């Protein structure tokens, strides 16, 4: 039995949070790309980790829901929730809204697009980000 698109996304996000990059990478289709706010684009998980280390000491997601738009080969999965953690300078943050959109095809993740309110919160904190 194949993994549902939502289960694949959940497994991927769990692996990333645990920094199990090998496990997360095994879920990615060739040509996978991630786009973050500000147009930051990454094609490897290692690139993402290097970028994130400059911004965060920790980052966790609290999930409110997962929605899927099915397709014959997979679907589009939307993940909604809030972010919490600590910025690189030690400033804590929480309650920051996010949406991740994943394209799933052939049992693999094709892309990830990320939207969040981090810039709004950083502006209020005066940290710039």
């Amino acid at each position: 039995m194949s993994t549902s698109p939502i289960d694949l996304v959940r497994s991927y996000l769990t692996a990333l949070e645990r920094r199990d990059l090998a496990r997360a990478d095994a879920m990615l289709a060739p040509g996978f790309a991630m786009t973050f706010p500000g147009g930051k684009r990454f094609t490897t998980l290692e690139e993402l980790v290097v970028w994130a280390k400059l911004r965060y000491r920790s980052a966790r997601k609290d999930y409110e829901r997962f929605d899927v738009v099915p397709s014959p080969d997979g679907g589009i999965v939307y993940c909604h929730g809030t972010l919490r953690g600590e910025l690189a300078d030690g400033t804590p943050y929480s309650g920051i809204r996010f949406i991740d959109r994943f394209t799933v095809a052939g049992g693999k993740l094709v892309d990830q697009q990320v939207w969040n309110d981090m810039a709004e919160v950083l502006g209020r904190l005066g940290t710039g980000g």
Side-chain angles (χ1 to χ4, degrees):
M1 177 177 265
S2 66
T3 303
S4 77
I6 289 176
D7 289 343
L8 178 64
V9 168
R10 281 182 183 269
S11 294
Y12 169 76
L13 292 170
T14 298
L16 274 185
E17 191 169 288
R18 293 179 180 161
R19 290 297 179 252
D20 187 346
L21 299 186
R23 179 180 157 100
D25 194 58
M27 299 177 212
L28 307 181
F32 175 83
M34 300 164 270
T35 305
F36 281 72
K40 305 263 186 313
R41 183 173 156 78
F42 307 101
T43 58
T44 70
L45 298 178
E46 292 77 14
E47 289 174 321
L48 172 64
V49 169
V50 167
W51 172 76
K53 281 183 181 179
L54 299 174
R55 296 172 58 99
Y56 312 108
R57 285 187 186 172
S58 67
R60 300 284 183 257
K61 293 182 176 187
D62 295 316
Y63 305 108
E64 293 174 10
R65 74 177 197 259
F66 289 78
D67 301 314
V68 65
V69 179
S71 71
D73 194 31
I76 304 295
V77 176
Y78 292 90
C79 171
H80 308 251
T82 57
L83 302 169
R84 62 184 162 84
E86 217 175 293
L87 299 175
D89 68 1
T91 304
Y93 64 90
S94 64
I96 297 173
R97 297 178 315 154
F98 80 88
I99 295 175
D100 289 349
R101 178 194 182 275
F102 293 88
T103 303
V104 178
K108 297 282 187 177
L109 299 172
V110 175
D111 66 19
Q112 177 184 4
Q113 297 179 39
V114 177
W115 294 273
N116 62 53
D117 290 338
M118 184 65 79
E120 292 292 321
V121 172
L122 293 179
R124 284 196 303 270
L125 294 174
T127 61

